[in-house]
Amino acid sequence: MVGGRDQPRDVREASPKGSVPRAGVSSYGAPRNFGMSATIAVRLELRRGSTMNERTKEDLETTRVANAEKLQAELKRRSERDRAYLIVLAGNEVGKMYKVDNGETTLGRSHRADVRIDDDSISRLHAKVTLAGSNIVIEDLGSSNGTLVNGERVARGVLKDGDKIRLGETTILKFTFHDRLDESFVQKMYDAALRDPLTKVYNKKFLLDHLSQEVSYAKRHQSKLTLIMFDLDHFKRVNDTYGHVAGDQVLIQTSARVSALLRGEDVFARYGGEEFCIVLRGTSLENAGGLAERIRATIEEHVYCSASVELRATASLGVAEYDGDGDVAALIEWADSALYAAKSAGRNRVLLKQRT
């Protein structure tokens, strides 16, 4: 002790390993003057840092300007309302968009029509929309119930943005121009309302609406209508054993493989969970049973892959034919009872039921 104070120590030797030396103490034990030199050093570092920040800022600002120009050009390109569309406002498939391409677009209920509308009051080839110079023209093709634009019957007329086109008794289309952003947004909204977000097949709401239309059609025309209902056997075990990610992959891959077996006019929908339905217009019970067996075999033979996991699955299927009586609920109940019978009989099989 000197004058009641500890003498400075050599921090390199006396400081414990890992400790931080005290500021203002020299390595030889004498206090060091950090005053002016330290201040100059700090100022130099600050100036250097400031210069680097300014350069970085300039670089960022230059980048932002360049990106902004590109973004504005892209937004301008996408905002050009140069795409003609017909959008369903009333009737079947409300919200669906049909693009009017260059050339000729026919409208009607026939499979030969470019825009096929399932409505008995619409003629097979009802009207056509053509590009005539800078105008888009609609022309009636001698339809039974006529073509109305904004409430007035027309044989031929130029369409304007926002025009309402009535075909038959219940179908109303809106003619409009969209830019790329509108097109993308409307299509996404339409898909979100009608499609199952996981499997991308139709959802239950669309299924029930469509099935109601098909039942009405089958009654009026006394035509064939069948419904296949199936689900994946012991699906809960897949989720419990391999996890829900693997379970989702089984549903996605099943939907893709089944979709590949169907016709364009067949409607494939997720009814709920691991249960699916297929609506088959103009198809007999026997032919629907043959399709159901192909679906069963396809699912059984497929190796499902999810990450590093490979697994297999089977399905049970019930098939029912509409008998010209009853409603949608009755047809679903009959197909569901056939599915339940297939499961009770041992699963991984197809069972057909016809009302007597």
Side-chain angles (χ1 to χ4, degrees), residues 311-332:
L311 55 100
R312 292 184 178 275
T314 61
S316 299
L317 301 92
V319 186
E321 182 178 14
Y322 183 64
D323 63 355
D325 191 18
D327 54 11
V328 171
L331 179 58
I332 292 176

Side-chain angles (χ1 to χ4, degrees), residues 61-346:
E61 288 176 348
T62 302
T63 303
R64 289 194 190 101
V65 170
N67 287 341
E69 290 174 352
K70 292 179 180 179
L71 180 60
Q72 289 174 357
E74 179 65 15
L75 287 174
K76 182 179 179 180
R77 184 182 70 84
R78 293 189 181 188
S79 299
E80 294 174 350
R81 294 172 61 83
D82 57 352
R83 298 185 171 200
Y85 284 92
L86 296 171
I87 302 176
V88 181
L89 296 184
N92 298 334
E93 299 184 310
V94 171
K96 188 168 185 178
M97 296 173 59
Y98 297 99
K99 187 176 181 181
V100 179
D101 292 319
N102 294 337
E104 180 178 292
T105 302
T106 55
L107 317 175
R109 75 170 195 270
S110 170
H111 289 287
R112 294 186 290 117
D114 299 311
V115 175
R116 182 175 179 272
I117 303 171
D118 192 8
D119 183 343
D120 283 350
S121 63
I122 294 177
S123 298
R124 287 178 173 82
L125 291 177
H126 193 104
K128 67 178 180 179
V129 177
T130 57
L131 179 65
S134 60
N135 294 324
I136 294 180
V137 177
I138 187 167
E139 181 179 350
D140 187 80
L141 297 177
S143 65
S144 300
N145 293 314
T147 300
L148 287 77
V149 177
N150 299 326
E152 296 184 3
R153 188 160 183 162
V154 298
R156 190 175 189 275
V158 176
L159 291 173
K160 300 183 297 295
D161 193 1
D163 280 349
K164 308 296 191 305
I165 304 165
R166 187 184 188 98
L167 306 176
E169 297 176 358
T170 61
T171 300
I172 299 177
L173 308 175
K174 177 183 178 181
F175 173 76
T176 186
F177 288 98
H178 273 330
D179 57 41
R180 288 173 172 81
L181 296 177
D182 288 335
E183 175 190 11
S184 176
F185 175 75
V186 173
Q187 188 61 49
K188 286 179 180 178
M189 292 297 292
Y190 178 77
D191 289 342
L194 302 181
R195 298 279 180 177
D196 173 61
L198 177 66
T199 62
K200 308 307 178 187
V201 301
Y202 288 113
N203 58 25
K204 184 176 180 179
K205 180 183 183 305
F206 179 87
L207 169 71
L208 297 178
D209 291 344
H210 180 78
L211 200 52
S212 177
Q213 298 164 14
E214 289 296 330
V215 166
S216 297
Y217 183 91
K219 278 184 179 180
R220 288 195 303 270
H221 298 277
Q222 297 182 343
S223 58
K224 298 287 187 181
L225 175 64
T226 49
L227 177 66
I228 298 175
M229 180 174 284
F230 73 91
D231 73 5
L232 298 170
D233 299 326
H234 302 300
F235 184 72
K236 186 177 183 299
R237 292 182 187 175
V238 175
N239 285 331
D240 292 344
T241 304
Y242 302 102
H244 289 277
V245 173
D248 287 349
Q249 280 300 312
V250 171
L251 295 175
I252 292 169
Q253 293 175 38
T254 295
S255 299
R257 292 186 68 81
V258 172
S259 295
L261 298 175
L262 304 180
R263 304 172 299 181
E265 62 266 32
D266 299 334
V267 170
F268 181 31
R270 187 180 180 188
Y271 193 72
E274 68 274 19
E275 199 165 40
F276 296 85
C277 287
I278 304 170
V279 183
L280 305 170
R281 173 188 278 195
T283 305
S284 67
L285 183 67
E286 292 74 18
N287 289 338
L291 172 61
E293 174 56 29
R294 291 196 298 275
I295 291 172
R296 185 205 64 77
T298 295
I299 293 173
E300 183 182 31
E301 293 167 1
H302 182 59
V303 178
Y304 292 88
C305 299
S306 175
S308 59
V309 175
E310 292 186 352
L311 55 100
R312 292 184 178 275
T314 61
S316 299
L317 301 92
V319 186
E321 182 178 14
Y322 183 64
D323 63 355
D325 191 18
D327 54 11
V328 171
L331 179 58
I332 292 176
E333 182 180 359
W334 195 243
D336 190 48
S337 67
L339 170 60
Y340 181 79
K343 286 187 170 294
S344 299

